[in-house]
Amino acid sequence: MSHETYELKAEARERVGKGSARELRRNGLIPAVIYGDKQAPISIALNTNEVTKRIHAGGFMTTVATIEVDGKKHKVLPKDYQLDPVRDFTLHVDFLRVSGNTQVTVEIPVHFINEEKCPGIKVGGVLNIVRHEVEVHCPADAIPEFFNVDLNGKKIGDSIHISEVTLPKGVTPVIDRDFTIATIIAPAGGIDETAAEGEAEA
């Protein structure tokens, strides 16, 4: 399942625009907006340190959060954010309102398991990762934290496709074909023949 939910407190912003945003940032706040779910967008200000900490902790874009604005709580999913390219602090965040039946599109990280049981890697082959993340449609309240891709028994020349990954109920890939996630390729210097023979005999 997805990362643990968290709560942020925000204040409503009356003024918007570049001058207002600069003033907020000087005061340790960042401008943000909550939109979607057939309601009017709300311009808000959030604590810069709190949000930047959440972004760097990982899973920010796949974790549903609660933002409290003037006593009212909004369930949201981050959809986009901007970082200052030089100083690496957050400049702006867009949040999408979500409810139990909201469908969202998110990128889920891929984890590779059983590398030690992969004959292709044992003889010197290299895991060539085609996709580090897979974009999927899924319910907002059931976003997977990651997908496991099993390398058990894979040999040099083998490809691993999305059809080999067990996806939770209600989760479907955005791309409508059996795309490749990774391949096991021969190393640049060729295969270690003695290791390959040992694997064949085992």
Side-chain angles (χ1 to χ4, degrees), residues 22 26 46 51 56 66 85 93 131 170 174:
R22 275 198 294 269
R26 277 199 298 271
L46 290 161
V51 176
H56 290 305
T66 302
V93 187
R131 293 176 188 273
V174 169

Side-chain angles (χ1 to χ4, degrees), residues 9 13 26 30 46 56 63 67 80 110 123-124 128 134-135 137 177 182 186 189 192 199:
K9 282 197 186 304
R13 281 191 297 144
R26 277 199 298 271
I30 54 167
L46 290 161
H56 290 305
T63 305
I67 297 180
D80 194 22
V110 173
V123 298
N128 173 45
V134 173
E135 193 175 23
H137 300 302
R177 59 182 166 77
D192 179 348
E199 281 297 317

Side-chain angles (χ1 to χ4, degrees), residues 98-125:
V98 296
S99 56
N101 55 4
T102 305
Q103 287 285 318
V104 294
T105 303
V106 287
E107 291 190 338
I108 306 299
V110 173
H111 291 184
F112 294 91
I113 60 170
N114 288 327
E115 212 165 301
E116 72 286 355
K117 295 178 183 173
C118 177
I121 290 175
K122 279 186 179 178
V123 298

Side-chain angles (χ1 to χ4, degrees), residues 20-51:
S20 166
R22 275 198 294 269
E23 188 182 332
L24 282 175
R25 292 185 192 113
R26 277 199 298 271
N27 294 325
L29 298 169
I30 54 167
V33 65
I34 299 173
Y35 68 96
D37 206 25
K38 298 176 183 165
Q39 296 177 47
I42 306 172
S43 295
I44 58 171
L46 290 161
N47 180 288
T48 303
N49 290 342
E50 271 192 53
V51 176

Side-chain angles (χ1 to χ4, degrees), residues 43-165:
S43 295
I44 58 171
L46 290 161
N47 180 288
T48 303
N49 290 342
E50 271 192 53
V51 176
T52 304
K53 191 168 71 181
R54 291 287 174 189
I55 290 170
H56 290 305
F60 182 66
M61 302 294 283
T62 55
T63 305
V64 172
T66 302
I67 297 180
E68 186 178 324
V69 188
D70 297 336
K72 187 180 177 189
K73 295 190 175 186
H74 303 263
K75 209 172 172 185
V76 298
L77 182 71
K79 285 306 288 178
D80 194 22
Y81 64 88
Q82 289 171 280
L83 292 177
D84 184 287
V86 179
R87 290 170 291 173
D88 197 35
F89 67 83
T90 316
L91 294 173
H92 186 272
V93 187
D94 289 342
F95 294 98
L96 175 71
R97 283 187 194 91
V98 296
S99 56
N101 55 4
T102 305
Q103 287 285 318
V104 294
T105 303
V106 287
E107 291 190 338
I108 306 299
V110 173
H111 291 184
F112 294 91
I113 60 170
N114 288 327
E115 212 165 301
E116 72 286 355
K117 295 178 183 173
C118 177
I121 290 175
K122 279 186 179 178
V123 298
V126 177
L127 176 64
N128 173 45
I129 300 172
V130 179
R131 293 176 188 273
H132 290 271
E133 295 172 325
V134 173
E135 193 175 23
V136 298
H137 300 302
C138 65
D141 58 356
I143 300 172
E145 191 172 345
F146 55 83
F147 295 138
N148 275 331
V149 175
D150 195 349
L151 300 176
N152 188 4
K154 297 295 178 186
K155 300 180 177 64
I156 285 177
D158 283 354
S159 298
I160 300 120
H161 297 90
I162 188 64
S163 58
E164 296 173 60
V165 179

